[in-house]
Amino acid sequence: APGTKLNVFAELDIPKYEANIITNICLKREQDIDPACQNKEVITSAQLKRDAQYVTVTIDRIEKIVTPLKDESYYLHLKILFKNLGGGNIYPAETSSTEAKKEIGEIMKAPSITLSRSAEADVKCSPNKLIFENNAATLDCYATIIGPKETYVTYPLKIAYSFGYKLRIKAGPILL
């Protein structure tokens, strides 16, 4: 009937979205060598560029703290802040969103962290499931890296993660 108002809903459900964020991190032994390489720094999503800018669940920032050790190795701590920018609900990848609703909070399995150059470092992270509160979750990662003898070195850092995502969009009311 003319003059009828109608609300329209659309639902998008992606059971598995895969993201790979790649950046470089540098470690240095002496503070006065190469000021561009800092042992304590924050890497922002803007610095991560397109890898982080076109993902609904993205890395907002990586806080890096490197401590040179006496035996030519380094201790690395990464604090990675994830943000849900899409306005939808996150659930574990390859799980139906109906099953995921049984769990409390918005949950994503912790990502795989790879730090490599000539050999890969064993990076340990916790927690093993990220629970998003206020659209944010934090992951803490640690590694002891047996370093080369150079005064500073750059390593590629890859953060690979996957998640399910459900978004419900409402339009209206629309006058017919």
Side-chain angles (χ1 to χ4, degrees), residues 119-136:
E120 293 191 11
D122 186 24
V123 182
K124 304 264 190 240
C125 299
S126 68
N128 61 1
K129 282 186 179 179
L130 298 178
I131 298 176
F132 284 74
E133 293 178 12
N134 299 318
N135 291 318

Side-chain angles (χ1 to χ4, degrees), residues 23-28 31 34-44 47-48 61-67 76-80 153-155 157:
T23 190
N24 287 315
I25 62 168
C26 95
L27 316 171
K28 72 177 177 177
Q31 203 55 33
D34 190 3
C37 176
Q38 295 297 317
N39 278 344
K40 187 174 183 180
E41 70 175 320
V42 175
I43 302 164
T44 65
Q47 291 168 293
L48 297 172
R61 72 178 178 272
I62 302 168
E63 297 173 10
K64 175 192 85 169
I65 299 174
V66 176
T67 307
L76 172 67
H77 175 212
L78 299 172
K79 185 174 184 177
I80 305 169
V153 63
T154 301
Y155 285 89
L157 173 70

Side-chain angles (χ1 to χ4, degrees), residues 60-86:
D60 185 57
R61 72 178 178 272
I62 302 168
E63 297 173 10
K64 175 192 85 169
I65 299 174
V66 176
T67 307
L69 304 174
K70 292 179 182 179
D71 62 353
E72 294 183 359
S73 60
Y74 299 88
Y75 181 73
L76 172 67
H77 175 212
L78 299 172
K79 185 174 184 177
I80 305 169
L81 178 67
F82 289 85
K83 284 226 169 157
N84 178 359
L85 301 178

